[in-house]
Amino acid sequence: MLSGSRVVRRRLLNRRRLCCRCYSDSPLRPPQEWLEGKAVRGQWDSEDNSSEQSERPLLQRRRVFSGIQPTGVPHLGNYLGALRQWKLLHDSSANTKLLGDTKHDQFFSVVDLHALTSSDVPGHVRRKLRRESYASLMAIGLQNTQQTTLFFQSDVKAHTELMWILSTIASTGYLSRMTQWKSKLNLSDDADLHSDEATAKLKLGLFSYPVLQAADILLYQATLVPVGADQIQHIEFARSLARSFNSHVRSRPESSGNVFRVPWPALSAAQRIMSLKRPTQKMSKSDPDPKSRILVTDTREEIHAKIKGAITDSEPGISYDPEKRPGVSNLIDILRNVTSLSLAPEAIAKDLENMTMRGFKEMVADNICESLEGVRDRFEELMNPSNQTLNMEAEEGAKKARRVAIRTMRSVKNSLGLESFCASSNMWDREMIRGSDPDHATSGDFNTTIRYVRTNDGTADAIQEALVGVNKQSFPVDKPNTNKSE
């Protein structure tokens, strides 16, 4: 039998292996060689970049973008499905021994503009939900560092600006085949824009939601987007827009190559967590019963009470059968994910088959409490009105995100002949770009200029650090002037 202490030890032992389990082995997952920074030959490369080379070093940098809607405090399903992976990416990107010569960074956003497509929410409620969402991300251990940018989508106006530009090349036929707007309106999958029900309910914001999502990703030149299986369709749409835009600008005589990197989706390996009260439905904040979900800020007593009241069955022993025993199977999946056990759920159930249901639920609750230890205390500290840490962190994240967004928008506008004739606008852009972005790179007139900085290790190391940001696609780089430093 697998004891509670043994489960904890297994979780601690497997914590080091989590980085290898962040993403699934799905065909839509980037090759492992790419994740490790090695050269790779395959369909993703040849499909996205028209180049004479069929093999090239791909991962000189891995840049991740991911967002979460401001629904308030996340539940356990949100944490295991996405937020824990964010934390792992955040921690691993600062580990130079783990990364070697590669350079990884990530942009995590509270996508509050996307939330406007939902039902009407009073302003004071939306403000509270946004603050709770950002505080929750900080409470699980995320913060702005050289490698991580944590920000509100609405603080960076370039998101909506790029969305409009991408809308001019987005296909309404493609958008009409998207399933999300249909599911949001409770329409059948075969519904189209010609149906009276669709035209009566559908709003432009919901219909063009994937265009804004594509702008979110492409604005930061993301190479990897962790998503659930239901979002794969949207990532492929973003890839399609990136390819279309690159092809459009490459055809011009003055073109200097691609503007956008083409992102890859990465499926989370976490099993979907189901409702504690309706184990055939996924855990959701929209469920009217608060006992159906565990929030990351729940107290130990609340977690134990909710797991104790979770719907199971009267069959003796523990076994894994999602169809016949969905409640028990859901608790096994929760145990497996919070402890990061590499065993199959059937093997875990076999090890626990002689436990009583009461003992099993207590074990699950204990391990959930341990995995969320400290989150509630940090959250309450950040939500204290007298604590300005959250405000300062949001401001820092917005500044970092704007610097990258401005560079991308400058390249986009230049490629379309929309560069500004206003000296004040160009000067503001230069001032925003100058500073703390880890790339130390600015772009203008289709050229990428490396900004070199002094470091304790000397100029050569600073140049090497800057060069790792050069992407595989056609972003020309000026030759460094070793006689100057900034």
Side-chain angles (χ1 to χ4, degrees):
M1 183 175 68
L2 190 62
S3 67
S5 60
R6 183 180 169 191
V7 169
V8 172
R9 287 197 300 273
R10 280 183 180 271
R11 186 173 69 82
L12 294 175
L13 289 173
N14 279 275
R15 186 174 292 168
R16 297 178 181 176
R17 284 179 274 176
L18 274 173
C19 292
C20 300
R21 298 183 63 244
C22 284
Y23 306 113
S24 73
D25 293 325
S26 163
L28 289 169
R29 169 192 185 276
Q32 182 65 27
E33 293 85 353
W34 185 86
L35 294 172
E36 294 173 355
K38 302 175 183 177
V40 63
R41 185 196 304 269
Q43 60 168 346
W44 291 94
D45 188 43
S46 59
E47 174 189 2
D48 296 336
N49 306 285
S50 56
S51 172
E52 299 81 2
Q53 302 180 56
S54 59
E55 183 174 347
R56 62 173 70 89
L58 285 184
L59 188 60
Q60 291 184 334
R61 96 164 307 121
R62 179 210 67 195
R63 174 168 286 177
V64 171
F65 177 89
S66 193
I68 186 171
Q69 289 207 24
T71 57
V73 179
H75 57 67
L76 185 64
N78 300 140
Y79 175 71
L80 297 176
L83 302 185
R84 186 171 63 174
Q85 278 68 38
W86 291 16
K87 180 63 164 59
L88 290 166
L89 290 166
H90 171 76
D91 293 342
S92 65
S93 65
N95 190 331
T96 56
K97 293 182 179 180
L98 177 64
L99 298 182
D101 294 333
T102 63
K103 188 174 183 179
H104 298 182
D105 59 358
Q106 45 277 328
F107 289 76
F108 298 136
S109 178
V110 176
V111 288
D112 43 3
L113 296 178
H114 284 291
L116 297 177
T117 62
S118 303
S119 58
D120 188 37
V121 177
H124 70 281
V125 175
R126 177 174 288 116
R127 189 177 301 109
K128 177 175 180 290
L129 294 175
R130 291 172 64 236
R131 188 174 181 86
E132 286 180 348
S133 295
Y134 198 91
S136 298
L137 297 181
M138 292 183 63
I140 67 172
L142 298 176
Q143 61 181 348
N144 287 290
T145 62
Q146 184 177 2
Q147 295 83 17
T148 298
T149 303
L150 184 64
F151 67 104
F152 286 101
Q153 180 190 33
S154 59
D155 283 340
V156 184
K157 295 180 174 59
H159 285 261
T160 50
E161 185 177 14
L162 181 56
M163 178 195 176
W164 171 251
I165 292 175
L166 294 177
S167 295
T168 64
I169 63 171
S171 166
T172 55
Y174 200 143
L175 288 171
S176 68
R177 293 191 293 273
M178 292 287 185
T179 59
Q180 183 167 31
W181 66 268
K182 300 172 186 178
S183 63
K184 290 283 187 181
L185 300 177
N186 295 318
L187 301 174
S188 61
D189 289 342
D190 58 354
D192 56 36
L193 296 178
H194 301 294
S195 70
D196 293 338
E197 189 177 14
T199 55
K201 293 182 176 180
L202 183 61
K203 299 295 188 291
L204 178 59
L206 180 59
F207 184 67
S208 59
Y209 182 105
V211 185
L212 179 56
Q213 190 174 36
D216 298 337
I217 298 167
L218 302 181
L219 187 61
Y220 300 99
Q221 304 289 1
T223 59
L224 194 65
V225 186
V227 291
D230 59 335
Q231 291 291 312
I232 286 294
Q233 191 180 37
H234 288 187
I235 305 306
E236 184 51 45
F237 179 71
R239 288 167 53 80
S240 176
L241 284 181
R243 290 193 295 262
S244 297
F245 191 92
N246 288 342
S247 176
H248 175 66
V249 299
R250 277 202 312 263
S251 64
R252 301 188 176 194
E254 71 276 15
S255 172
S256 184
N258 295 334
V259 172
F260 294 123
R261 293 184 174 106
V262 180
W264 285 346
L267 293 176
S268 170
Q271 180 76 19
R272 186 169 65 168
I273 302 303
M274 312 305 283
S275 167
L276 299 179
K277 292 298 185 180
R278 299 169 185 82
T280 57
Q281 302 175 12
K282 71 176 183 178
M283 188 176 287
S284 173
K285 295 285 288 290
S286 61
D287 193 313
D289 187 354
K291 295 181 180 179
S292 67
R293 57 190 174 270
I294 292 174
L295 303 181
V296 298
T297 57
D298 279 346
T299 64
R300 185 179 187 87
E301 292 72 24
E302 289 171 334
I303 292 173
H304 272 268
K306 289 179 179 181
I307 293 296
K308 183 179 180 180
I311 297 297
T312 51
D313 52 55
S314 58
E315 186 175 332
I318 307 300
S319 62
Y320 188 80
D321 190 336
E323 292 187 4
K324 295 181 179 180
R325 307 188 72 185
V328 176
S329 299
N330 184 41
L331 294 181
I332 293 174
D333 285 330
I334 291 175
L335 178 64
R336 178 174 182 264
N337 281 285
V338 298
T339 57
S340 303
L341 288 170
S342 58
L343 297 173
E346 294 82 1
I348 297 174
K350 182 67 175 176
D351 207 359
L352 303 174
E353 62 181 345
N354 295 322
M355 284 193 75
T356 63
M357 191 60 66
R358 178 179 178 179
F360 173 60
K361 287 185 174 182
E362 288 181 354
M363 174 190 289
V364 174
D366 284 339
N367 281 278
I368 294 173
C369 292
E370 183 167 346
S371 69
L372 299 177
E373 186 177 3
V375 173
R376 178 182 176 84
D377 292 341
R378 290 191 292 270
F379 176 83
E380 291 184 337
E381 181 181 348
L382 290 165
M383 291 296 292
N384 189 322
S386 63
N387 189 340
Q388 294 299 307
T389 303
L390 187 149
N391 294 347
M392 293 187 293
E393 197 72 21
E395 182 176 0
E396 176 63 21
K399 289 179 180 178
K400 290 187 64 188
R402 286 177 194 140
R403 290 188 184 103
V404 179
I406 287 171
R407 283 206 307 276
T408 299
M409 290 309 301
R410 178 182 291 181
S411 296
V412 170
K413 290 182 175 181
N414 286 349
S415 69
L416 297 174
L418 293 175
E419 59 267 43
S420 177
F421 298 123
C422 302
S424 59
S425 175
N426 292 330
M427 183 179 299
W428 185 85
D429 282 359
R430 286 194 295 270
E431 289 301 316
M432 282 298 298
I433 291 171
R434 188 184 305 274
S436 65
D437 185 73
D439 289 345
H440 304 299
T442 61
S443 61
D445 299 326
F446 304 103
N447 292 321
T448 300
T449 304
I450 303 298
R451 178 173 180 263
Y452 299 103
V453 296
R454 294 187 183 277
T455 68
N456 294 332
D457 297 326
T459 304
D461 290 339
I463 293 175
Q464 181 62 33
E465 180 181 356
L467 288 177
V468 297
V470 178
N471 186 254
K472 63 173 179 176
Q473 300 185 30
S474 51
F475 290 83
V477 181
D478 290 344
K479 294 182 179 180
N481 183 348
T482 55
N483 295 324
K484 296 181 180 181
S485 62
E486 198 172 301

